Amino acid sequence: MDVFSVLQTHFISVVLGIIIVLLLWKNRGKQSSFQRLPPGPPPAPIVGNLFQVDLKEPYKYYRGLCQKYGSVCTIWLASKPVVIVSGYQTIRDALVIQGEEFNGRAEYPLLVKSTKGYGLLVSSGQRWKDLRRFSIMTLKNFGMGKRSIEEKVLEEARSLVKAFEKHDGALFNPQDLLSNSVSNVICSIVFGHRFEYEDPEFLLLYNTLSAYFTMLNSSLGWLYNTFPKIVGLFSGKTKGLLALLEKSHAYVRNQAEIRLKHLDANSTPQDYIEAFMIKMIQEKDATKTEFHYDNLLGSVWNLFAAGTETTSSTMRQLLLMMIKHPHVQARVQREIDEVIGQERSPCLDDRSKMPYTDAVIHETQRNMDLAPTSVPHKVMADTEFKNFHIPKGTMVLPLLSSVLVDPKLWKNPDNFDPENFLDEEGHFKKNDGFLVFGLGKRNCVGEGLARTELFLLFTSLLQRFTFVGAKPPEEIETTPACCSFGRMPRTFDCYAKLRA
Ligand code: HEM
């Protein structure tokens, strides 16, 4: 070995040694507060349990851990503990019974970066309470849970049917049309208008969103969330994404500035942005207010992103399931023909008379398990839970996935089976374990809107078309394409054949 190689080897050892000492120094004193954390696999120095986690399907690894260590357990991502909470009762005890402590939002770097730490989805404490109360009230004022939103969704359903008809029975990928349609419902609330698919402003927002979710669900995104500084330094992809996000925020800011010209505190708001700005004007002299531009841009992005990707992914998975299970599709169409017929559009009142269709939608959501670890929470204070101690600020993952496949809750947990939501007489059967929208005070604010969209869009499409895949059903794969954060469905081509 030459002198240079010897020096190089020593240099690396010295640098590693210094890093270890610095990390131990940084964590000194923290050790005692970590002593009563829930159990988990022993962490290695520096990296913790990082190399044991399956980056493609972390939630499966977490499920295995909870079977081994109990319904609350701990893993270490590098030097940070993450507490996993699993099973219906334990998740309920955390998010409902001890909700005040468990309802903080963890500082998950990609979520935080997307809005610079502002907005409803990423905030905690008083800021979250103020933004959540305002957002729920404003969404209701713009029709969420009322007839007016039903009409808006039906308008989108009609445009969607027309757009599918244009493919004239030829093979096509339905993804962009579904996303555009779902997105238009939340856009009409937030921006006050819908977009045509080719609209460059919509394409900017939509392309940013697609790039964002692709990153969030990739192994690179997972690494970024664990080592944001190091990965951010070297990854051109994350830099590109942040630049796109910047452009989208500039669009929203511009929308706000246009409104500022004609707005006064007494005018009736026409959309979410205007309602927020009126609140900004009303509170401009308050010593402390959460109604300012940063929270406006953050909340608008949160509503647009959460309101588009989740529901459109579910719609995509619903069509994929129809292609995979033609007998299920035929039974939904029979129910549509009996209850709605071919002469009129579906309406929400039909849902209670269509138990099988309702069960198919629920079962698709249960089986696809879109957000297996929900959106990461954190505890807002030092917390005693099930005889363990969780220090303030610790990230908590509610493992919704564990409930959605719990054999004690479902007749057939491992397969797609609408019978999971039907009783012996074929009536729709509610199940407390249906946690796809989360639980407690931090649950999804768009649940009512999503459920309206899924029912009306799905029944409108199946009233008009039969969906057939490019391959025979037995060759069609329905497991998600990537699974790190959300279990997003695969992209696929299909035929939309006009029903006779
Ligand atoms: C099938 C569709 C949807 C699913 C499966 C879904 C699921 C979820 C889940 C699991 C959470 C996290 C709950 C938690 O932190 O414990 C969440 C939060 C949220 N969702 Fe949805 N969601 C859907 C549709 C929507 C829609 C249409 C909107 C638009 C209004 C929306 C807006 C939000 C917002 C703003 C939050 C953050 C709430 C907060 O932090 O307080 N979601 N959603």
Side-chain angles (χ1 to χ4, degrees), residues 97-128:
I97 309 291
Q98 286 185 237
E100 273 303 306
E101 290 133 292
F102 278 91
N103 278 340
R105 182 68 79 213
E107 283 91 22
Y108 205 62
L110 268 176
L111 288 184
V112 173
K113 282 268 176 187
S114 73
T115 57
K116 302 191 175 117
Y118 292 98
L120 165 61
L121 190 118
V122 295
S123 53
S124 298
Q126 196 55 44
R127 173 180 294 168
W128 167 65

PDB file of all heavy atoms in Angstrom, residues 97-128:
ATOM      1  N   ILE A  97     -58.909   9.694  21.409  1.00  0.00           N
ATOM      2  CA  ILE A  97     -58.904   9.861  22.871  1.00  0.00           C
ATOM      3  C   ILE A  97     -57.771  10.815  23.299  1.00  0.00           C
ATOM      4  O   ILE A  97     -57.971  11.693  24.113  1.00  0.00           O
ATOM      5  CB  ILE A  97     -58.760   8.489  23.586  1.00  0.00           C
ATOM      6  CG1 ILE A  97     -59.789   7.483  23.046  1.00  0.00           C
ATOM      7  CG2 ILE A  97     -58.843   8.643  25.117  1.00  0.00           C
ATOM      8  CD1 ILE A  97     -61.223   7.757  23.378  1.00  0.00           C
ATOM      9  N   GLN A  98     -56.574  10.641  22.719  1.00  0.00           N
ATOM     10  CA  GLN A  98     -55.472  11.556  23.068  1.00  0.00           C
ATOM     11  C   GLN A  98     -55.140  12.488  21.892  1.00  0.00           C
ATOM     12  O   GLN A  98     -53.978  12.823  21.636  1.00  0.00           O
ATOM     13  CB  GLN A  98     -54.236  10.742  23.503  1.00  0.00           C
ATOM     14  CG  GLN A  98     -54.425  10.140  24.887  1.00  0.00           C
ATOM     15  CD  GLN A  98     -53.179   9.439  25.410  1.00  0.00           C
ATOM     16  OE1 GLN A  98     -53.258   8.272  25.733  1.00  0.00           O
ATOM     17  NE2 GLN A  98     -52.042  10.114  25.525  1.00  0.00           N
ATOM     18  N   GLY A  99     -56.220  12.877  21.169  1.00  0.00           N
ATOM     19  CA  GLY A  99     -56.047  13.675  19.953  1.00  0.00           C
ATOM     20  C   GLY A  99     -55.283  14.977  20.167  1.00  0.00           C
ATOM     21  O   GLY A  99     -54.477  15.373  19.324  1.00  0.00           O
ATOM     22  N   GLU A 100     -55.513  15.648  21.305  1.00  0.00           N
ATOM     23  CA  GLU A 100     -54.827  16.932  21.541  1.00  0.00           C
ATOM     24  C   GLU A 100     -53.320  16.757  21.434  1.00  0.00           C
ATOM     25  O   GLU A 100     -52.609  17.616  20.928  1.00  0.00           O
ATOM     26  CB  GLU A 100     -55.177  17.477  22.924  1.00  0.00           C
ATOM     27  CG  GLU A 100     -56.441  18.312  22.977  1.00  0.00           C
ATOM     28  CD  GLU A 100     -56.428  19.512  22.035  1.00  0.00           C
ATOM     29  OE1 GLU A 100     -55.485  20.313  22.112  1.00  0.00           O
ATOM     30  OE2 GLU A 100     -57.368  19.639  21.221  1.00  0.00           O
ATOM     31  N   GLU A 101     -52.815  15.617  21.947  1.00  0.00           N
ATOM     32  CA  GLU A 101     -51.361  15.388  21.886  1.00  0.00           C
ATOM     33  C   GLU A 101     -50.911  14.882  20.512  1.00  0.00           C
ATOM     34  O   GLU A 101     -49.874  15.264  19.999  1.00  0.00           O
ATOM     35  CB  GLU A 101     -50.953  14.355  22.949  1.00  0.00           C
ATOM     36  CG  GLU A 101     -51.051  14.856  24.373  1.00  0.00           C
ATOM     37  CD  GLU A 101     -51.767  13.856  25.268  1.00  0.00           C
ATOM     38  OE1 GLU A 101     -52.989  13.649  25.082  1.00  0.00           O
ATOM     39  OE2 GLU A 101     -51.107  13.278  26.153  1.00  0.00           O
ATOM     40  N   PHE A 102     -51.731  13.996  19.893  1.00  0.00           N
ATOM     41  CA  PHE A 102     -51.273  13.308  18.674  1.00  0.00           C
ATOM     42  C   PHE A 102     -51.596  14.048  17.378  1.00  0.00           C
ATOM     43  O   PHE A 102     -51.235  13.581  16.309  1.00  0.00           O
ATOM     44  CB  PHE A 102     -51.885  11.901  18.611  1.00  0.00           C
ATOM     45  CG  PHE A 102     -51.144  10.890  19.446  1.00  0.00           C
ATOM     46  CD1 PHE A 102     -51.496  10.652  20.762  1.00  0.00           C
ATOM     47  CD2 PHE A 102     -50.074  10.180  18.907  1.00  0.00           C
ATOM     48  CE1 PHE A 102     -50.810   9.724  21.538  1.00  0.00           C
ATOM     49  CE2 PHE A 102     -49.386   9.246  19.672  1.00  0.00           C
ATOM     50  CZ  PHE A 102     -49.747   9.008  20.988  1.00  0.00           C
ATOM     51  N   ASN A 103     -52.307  15.189  17.450  1.00  0.00           N
ATOM     52  CA  ASN A 103     -52.758  15.801  16.199  1.00  0.00           C
ATOM     53  C   ASN A 103     -51.793  16.827  15.600  1.00  0.00           C
ATOM     54  O   ASN A 103     -52.176  17.592  14.723  1.00  0.00           O
ATOM     55  CB  ASN A 103     -54.151  16.415  16.384  1.00  0.00           C
ATOM     56  CG  ASN A 103     -55.213  15.347  16.247  1.00  0.00           C
ATOM     57  OD1 ASN A 103     -54.945  14.292  15.662  1.00  0.00           O
ATOM     58  ND2 ASN A 103     -56.394  15.583  16.790  1.00  0.00           N
ATOM     59  N   GLY A 104     -50.531  16.826  16.030  1.00  0.00           N
ATOM     60  CA  GLY A 104     -49.558  17.692  15.366  1.00  0.00           C
ATOM     61  C   GLY A 104     -49.172  17.091  14.017  1.00  0.00           C
ATOM     62  O   GLY A 104     -49.412  15.915  13.766  1.00  0.00           O
ATOM     63  N   ARG A 105     -48.608  17.898  13.142  1.00  0.00           N
ATOM     64  CA  ARG A 105     -48.150  17.384  11.836  1.00  0.00           C
ATOM     65  C   ARG A 105     -46.628  17.318  11.859  1.00  0.00           C
ATOM     66  O   ARG A 105     -45.971  18.332  12.168  1.00  0.00           O
ATOM     67  CB  ARG A 105     -48.633  18.310  10.719  1.00  0.00           C
ATOM     68  CG  ARG A 105     -48.262  17.857   9.346  1.00  0.00           C
ATOM     69  CD  ARG A 105     -48.981  16.594   8.912  1.00  0.00           C
ATOM     70  NE  ARG A 105     -50.334  16.790   8.464  1.00  0.00           N
ATOM     71  CZ  ARG A 105     -51.310  15.890   8.635  1.00  0.00           C
ATOM     72  NH1 ARG A 105     -51.075  14.734   9.228  1.00  0.00           N
ATOM     73  NH2 ARG A 105     -52.533  16.140   8.199  1.00  0.00           N
ATOM     74  N   ALA A 106     -46.067  16.154  11.537  1.00  0.00           N
ATOM     75  CA  ALA A 106     -44.603  16.008  11.535  1.00  0.00           C
ATOM     76  C   ALA A 106     -43.982  16.873  10.445  1.00  0.00           C
ATOM     77  O   ALA A 106     -44.597  17.109   9.404  1.00  0.00           O
ATOM     78  CB  ALA A 106     -44.245  14.548  11.312  1.00  0.00           C
ATOM     79  N   GLU A 107     -42.760  17.331  10.702  1.00  0.00           N
ATOM     80  CA  GLU A 107     -42.076  18.156   9.691  1.00  0.00           C
ATOM     81  C   GLU A 107     -41.463  17.228   8.646  1.00  0.00           C
ATOM     82  O   GLU A 107     -40.268  16.933   8.672  1.00  0.00           O
ATOM     83  CB  GLU A 107     -40.992  19.031  10.332  1.00  0.00           C
ATOM     84  CG  GLU A 107     -41.519  20.251  11.049  1.00  0.00           C
ATOM     85  CD  GLU A 107     -41.802  19.981  12.521  1.00  0.00           C
ATOM     86  OE1 GLU A 107     -41.225  19.020  13.064  1.00  0.00           O
ATOM     87  OE2 GLU A 107     -42.620  20.705  13.132  1.00  0.00           O
ATOM     88  N   TYR A 108     -42.293  16.740   7.747  1.00  0.00           N
ATOM     89  CA  TYR A 108     -41.851  15.808   6.706  1.00  0.00           C
ATOM     90  C   TYR A 108     -41.281  16.670   5.581  1.00  0.00           C
ATOM     91  O   TYR A 108     -42.038  17.429   4.936  1.00  0.00           O
ATOM     92  CB  TYR A 108     -43.074  15.023   6.255  1.00  0.00           C
ATOM     93  CG  TYR A 108     -42.810  13.675   5.667  1.00  0.00           C
ATOM     94  CD1 TYR A 108     -42.209  12.661   6.409  1.00  0.00           C
ATOM     95  CD2 TYR A 108     -43.176  13.397   4.351  1.00  0.00           C
ATOM     96  CE1 TYR A 108     -41.990  11.418   5.867  1.00  0.00           C
ATOM     97  CE2 TYR A 108     -42.959  12.150   3.806  1.00  0.00           C
ATOM     98  CZ  TYR A 108     -42.369  11.171   4.568  1.00  0.00           C
ATOM     99  OH  TYR A 108     -42.147   9.931   4.019  1.00  0.00           O
ATOM    100  N   PRO A 109     -39.964  16.607   5.316  1.00  0.00           N
ATOM    101  CA  PRO A 109     -39.337  17.635   4.471  1.00  0.00           C
ATOM    102  C   PRO A 109     -40.025  17.932   3.138  1.00  0.00           C
ATOM    103  O   PRO A 109     -40.191  19.096   2.801  1.00  0.00           O
ATOM    104  CB  PRO A 109     -37.932  17.088   4.262  1.00  0.00           C
ATOM    105  CG  PRO A 109     -37.665  16.351   5.527  1.00  0.00           C
ATOM    106  CD  PRO A 109     -38.971  15.706   5.900  1.00  0.00           C
ATOM    107  N   LEU A 110     -40.473  16.890   2.404  1.00  0.00           N
ATOM    108  CA  LEU A 110     -41.074  17.215   1.101  1.00  0.00           C
ATOM    109  C   LEU A 110     -42.425  17.931   1.258  1.00  0.00           C
ATOM    110  O   LEU A 110     -42.776  18.776   0.433  1.00  0.00           O
ATOM    111  CB  LEU A 110     -41.263  15.959   0.259  1.00  0.00           C
ATOM    112  CG  LEU A 110     -40.107  15.613  -0.682  1.00  0.00           C
ATOM    113  CD1 LEU A 110     -40.370  14.308  -1.390  1.00  0.00           C
ATOM    114  CD2 LEU A 110     -39.823  16.709  -1.706  1.00  0.00           C
ATOM    115  N   LEU A 111     -43.151  17.589   2.312  1.00  0.00           N
ATOM    116  CA  LEU A 111     -44.422  18.300   2.551  1.00  0.00           C
ATOM    117  C   LEU A 111     -44.144  19.738   2.942  1.00  0.00           C
ATOM    118  O   LEU A 111     -44.761  20.676   2.430  1.00  0.00           O
ATOM    119  CB  LEU A 111     -45.214  17.640   3.680  1.00  0.00           C
ATOM    120  CG  LEU A 111     -45.869  16.290   3.423  1.00  0.00           C
ATOM    121  CD1 LEU A 111     -46.675  15.863   4.640  1.00  0.00           C
ATOM    122  CD2 LEU A 111     -46.790  16.353   2.213  1.00  0.00           C
ATOM    123  N   VAL A 112     -43.180  19.902   3.847  1.00  0.00           N
ATOM    124  CA  VAL A 112     -42.849  21.242   4.334  1.00  0.00           C
ATOM    125  C   VAL A 112     -42.345  22.114   3.181  1.00  0.00           C
ATOM    126  O   VAL A 112     -42.791  23.241   2.973  1.00  0.00           O
ATOM    127  CB  VAL A 112     -41.796  21.147   5.458  1.00  0.00           C
ATOM    128  CG1 VAL A 112     -41.302  22.526   5.854  1.00  0.00           C
ATOM    129  CG2 VAL A 112     -42.384  20.445   6.680  1.00  0.00           C
ATOM    130  N   LYS A 113     -41.418  21.533   2.363  1.00  0.00           N
ATOM    131  CA  LYS A 113     -40.812  22.308   1.262  1.00  0.00           C
ATOM    132  C   LYS A 113     -41.863  22.762   0.260  1.00  0.00           C
ATOM    133  O   LYS A 113     -41.733  23.827  -0.341  1.00  0.00           O
ATOM    134  CB  LYS A 113     -39.797  21.435   0.517  1.00  0.00           C
ATOM    135  CG  LYS A 113     -38.478  21.304   1.238  1.00  0.00           C
ATOM    136  CD  LYS A 113     -37.517  22.370   0.785  1.00  0.00           C
ATOM    137  CE  LYS A 113     -36.249  22.264   1.599  1.00  0.00           C
ATOM    138  NZ  LYS A 113     -35.316  23.314   1.392  1.00  0.00           N
ATOM    139  N   SER A 114     -42.900  21.919   0.038  1.00  0.00           N
ATOM    140  CA  SER A 114     -43.847  22.243  -1.027  1.00  0.00           C
ATOM    141  C   SER A 114     -44.568  23.554  -0.747  1.00  0.00           C
ATOM    142  O   SER A 114     -45.060  24.198  -1.667  1.00  0.00           O
ATOM    143  CB  SER A 114     -44.853  21.101  -1.219  1.00  0.00           C
ATOM    144  OG  SER A 114     -45.761  21.081  -0.145  1.00  0.00           O
ATOM    145  N   THR A 115     -44.640  23.960   0.522  1.00  0.00           N
ATOM    146  CA  THR A 115     -45.327  25.225   0.836  1.00  0.00           C
ATOM    147  C   THR A 115     -44.510  26.070   1.813  1.00  0.00           C
ATOM    148  O   THR A 115     -45.081  26.909   2.523  1.00  0.00           O
ATOM    149  CB  THR A 115     -46.712  24.943   1.461  1.00  0.00           C
ATOM    150  OG1 THR A 115     -46.511  24.137   2.625  1.00  0.00           O
ATOM    151  CG2 THR A 115     -47.651  24.244   0.526  1.00  0.00           C
ATOM    152  N   LYS A 116     -43.222  25.801   1.866  1.00  0.00           N
ATOM    153  CA  LYS A 116     -42.307  26.520   2.770  1.00  0.00           C
ATOM    154  C   LYS A 116     -42.797  26.466   4.226  1.00  0.00           C
ATOM    155  O   LYS A 116     -42.619  27.416   5.004  1.00  0.00           O
ATOM    156  CB  LYS A 116     -42.132  27.965   2.331  1.00  0.00           C
ATOM    157  CG  LYS A 116     -41.598  28.077   0.921  1.00  0.00           C
ATOM    158  CD  LYS A 116     -41.172  29.476   0.595  1.00  0.00           C
ATOM    159  CE  LYS A 116     -40.534  29.514  -0.767  1.00  0.00           C
ATOM    160  NZ  LYS A 116     -41.211  30.306  -1.746  1.00  0.00           N
ATOM    161  N   GLY A 117     -43.474  25.381   4.565  1.00  0.00           N
ATOM    162  CA  GLY A 117     -43.901  25.188   5.961  1.00  0.00           C
ATOM    163  C   GLY A 117     -45.224  25.851   6.309  1.00  0.00           C
ATOM    164  O   GLY A 117     -45.659  25.782   7.451  1.00  0.00           O
ATOM    165  N   TYR A 118     -45.877  26.492   5.324  1.00  0.00           N
ATOM    166  CA  TYR A 118     -47.150  27.170   5.622  1.00  0.00           C
ATOM    167  C   TYR A 118     -48.328  26.353   5.080  1.00  0.00           C
ATOM    168  O   TYR A 118     -48.157  25.441   4.279  1.00  0.00           O
ATOM    169  CB  TYR A 118     -47.154  28.572   4.992  1.00  0.00           C
ATOM    170  CG  TYR A 118     -46.158  29.495   5.653  1.00  0.00           C
ATOM    171  CD1 TYR A 118     -44.903  29.708   5.098  1.00  0.00           C
ATOM    172  CD2 TYR A 118     -46.479  30.138   6.843  1.00  0.00           C
ATOM    173  CE1 TYR A 118     -43.983  30.541   5.706  1.00  0.00           C
ATOM    174  CE2 TYR A 118     -45.566  30.983   7.464  1.00  0.00           C
ATOM    175  CZ  TYR A 118     -44.313  31.176   6.889  1.00  0.00           C
ATOM    176  OH  TYR A 118     -43.417  32.004   7.504  1.00  0.00           O
ATOM    177  N   GLY A 119     -49.534  26.731   5.502  1.00  0.00           N
ATOM    178  CA  GLY A 119     -50.743  26.091   4.971  1.00  0.00           C
ATOM    179  C   GLY A 119     -51.307  25.037   5.906  1.00  0.00           C
ATOM    180  O   GLY A 119     -50.632  24.553   6.815  1.00  0.00           O
ATOM    181  N   LEU A 120     -52.563  24.697   5.634  1.00  0.00           N
ATOM    182  CA  LEU A 120     -53.343  23.813   6.501  1.00  0.00           C
ATOM    183  C   LEU A 120     -52.701  22.446   6.741  1.00  0.00           C
ATOM    184  O   LEU A 120     -52.596  21.976   7.877  1.00  0.00           O
ATOM    185  CB  LEU A 120     -54.731  23.655   5.848  1.00  0.00           C
ATOM    186  CG  LEU A 120     -55.641  22.541   6.332  1.00  0.00           C
ATOM    187  CD1 LEU A 120     -55.969  22.718   7.803  1.00  0.00           C
ATOM    188  CD2 LEU A 120     -56.928  22.531   5.518  1.00  0.00           C
ATOM    189  N   LEU A 121     -52.267  21.800   5.660  1.00  0.00           N
ATOM    190  CA  LEU A 121     -51.841  20.399   5.788  1.00  0.00           C
ATOM    191  C   LEU A 121     -50.569  20.211   6.611  1.00  0.00           C
ATOM    192  O   LEU A 121     -50.405  19.216   7.290  1.00  0.00           O
ATOM    193  CB  LEU A 121     -51.649  19.799   4.388  1.00  0.00           C
ATOM    194  CG  LEU A 121     -51.432  18.303   4.357  1.00  0.00           C
ATOM    195  CD1 LEU A 121     -52.555  17.623   3.592  1.00  0.00           C
ATOM    196  CD2 LEU A 121     -50.111  17.937   3.712  1.00  0.00           C
ATOM    197  N   VAL A 122     -49.659  21.188   6.547  1.00  0.00           N
ATOM    198  CA  VAL A 122     -48.366  20.983   7.217  1.00  0.00           C
ATOM    199  C   VAL A 122     -48.262  21.675   8.577  1.00  0.00           C
ATOM    200  O   VAL A 122     -47.257  21.528   9.256  1.00  0.00           O
ATOM    201  CB  VAL A 122     -47.174  21.465   6.345  1.00  0.00           C
ATOM    202  CG1 VAL A 122     -47.050  20.640   5.108  1.00  0.00           C
ATOM    203  CG2 VAL A 122     -47.273  22.934   6.019  1.00  0.00           C
ATOM    204  N   SER A 123     -49.302  22.420   8.970  1.00  0.00           N
ATOM    205  CA  SER A 123     -49.123  23.193  10.199  1.00  0.00           C
ATOM    206  C   SER A 123     -49.643  22.445  11.430  1.00  0.00           C
ATOM    207  O   SER A 123     -50.336  21.435  11.325  1.00  0.00           O
ATOM    208  CB  SER A 123     -49.797  24.558  10.066  1.00  0.00           C
ATOM    209  OG  SER A 123     -51.125  24.381   9.679  1.00  0.00           O
ATOM    210  N   SER A 124     -49.290  22.970  12.597  1.00  0.00           N
ATOM    211  CA  SER A 124     -49.686  22.371  13.872  1.00  0.00           C
ATOM    212  C   SER A 124     -50.168  23.486  14.801  1.00  0.00           C
ATOM    213  O   SER A 124     -50.018  24.669  14.483  1.00  0.00           O
ATOM    214  CB  SER A 124     -48.485  21.676  14.529  1.00  0.00           C
ATOM    215  OG  SER A 124     -48.012  20.645  13.713  1.00  0.00           O
ATOM    216  N   GLY A 125     -50.705  23.088  15.958  1.00  0.00           N
ATOM    217  CA  GLY A 125     -51.039  24.066  17.006  1.00  0.00           C
ATOM    218  C   GLY A 125     -52.111  25.047  16.571  1.00  0.00           C
ATOM    219  O   GLY A 125     -53.012  24.728  15.801  1.00  0.00           O
ATOM    220  N   GLN A 126     -51.983  26.309  17.059  1.00  0.00           N
ATOM    221  CA  GLN A 126     -53.017  27.314  16.828  1.00  0.00           C
ATOM    222  C   GLN A 126     -53.159  27.630  15.329  1.00  0.00           C
ATOM    223  O   GLN A 126     -54.262  27.823  14.830  1.00  0.00           O
ATOM    224  CB  GLN A 126     -52.700  28.588  17.621  1.00  0.00           C
ATOM    225  CG  GLN A 126     -53.879  29.540  17.753  1.00  0.00           C
ATOM    226  CD  GLN A 126     -55.113  28.868  18.357  1.00  0.00           C
ATOM    227  OE1 GLN A 126     -55.021  28.127  19.334  1.00  0.00           O
ATOM    228  NE2 GLN A 126     -56.286  29.111  17.751  1.00  0.00           N
ATOM    229  N   ARG A 127     -52.010  27.661  14.603  1.00  0.00           N
ATOM    230  CA  ARG A 127     -52.098  27.956  13.161  1.00  0.00           C
ATOM    231  C   ARG A 127     -52.989  26.920  12.475  1.00  0.00           C
ATOM    232  O   ARG A 127     -53.879  27.246  11.691  1.00  0.00           O
ATOM    233  CB  ARG A 127     -50.708  27.932  12.524  1.00  0.00           C
ATOM    234  CG  ARG A 127     -50.795  28.053  11.010  1.00  0.00           C
ATOM    235  CD  ARG A 127     -49.454  28.027  10.346  1.00  0.00           C
ATOM    236  NE  ARG A 127     -48.683  29.199  10.706  1.00  0.00           N
ATOM    237  CZ  ARG A 127     -47.380  29.331  10.453  1.00  0.00           C
ATOM    238  NH1 ARG A 127     -46.732  28.361   9.840  1.00  0.00           N
ATOM    239  NH2 ARG A 127     -46.737  30.416  10.814  1.00  0.00           N
ATOM    240  N   TRP A 128     -52.754  25.631  12.787  1.00  0.00           N
ATOM    241  CA  TRP A 128     -53.570  24.570  12.176  1.00  0.00           C
ATOM    242  C   TRP A 128     -55.044  24.740  12.541  1.00  0.00           C
ATOM    243  O   TRP A 128     -55.919  24.655  11.676  1.00  0.00           O
ATOM    244  CB  TRP A 128     -53.050  23.194  12.614  1.00  0.00           C
ATOM    245  CG  TRP A 128     -54.005  22.094  12.285  1.00  0.00           C
ATOM    246  CD1 TRP A 128     -54.390  21.690  11.034  1.00  0.00           C
ATOM    247  CD2 TRP A 128     -54.755  21.293  13.207  1.00  0.00           C
ATOM    248  NE1 TRP A 128     -55.320  20.680  11.128  1.00  0.00           N
ATOM    249  CE2 TRP A 128     -55.566  20.422  12.449  1.00  0.00           C
ATOM    250  CE3 TRP A 128     -54.810  21.226  14.590  1.00  0.00           C
ATOM    251  CZ2 TRP A 128     -56.422  19.491  13.038  1.00  0.00           C
ATOM    252  CZ3 TRP A 128     -55.664  20.292  15.181  1.00  0.00           C
ATOM    253  CH2 TRP A 128     -56.450  19.443  14.407  1.00  0.00           C
TER     254      TRP A 128
END
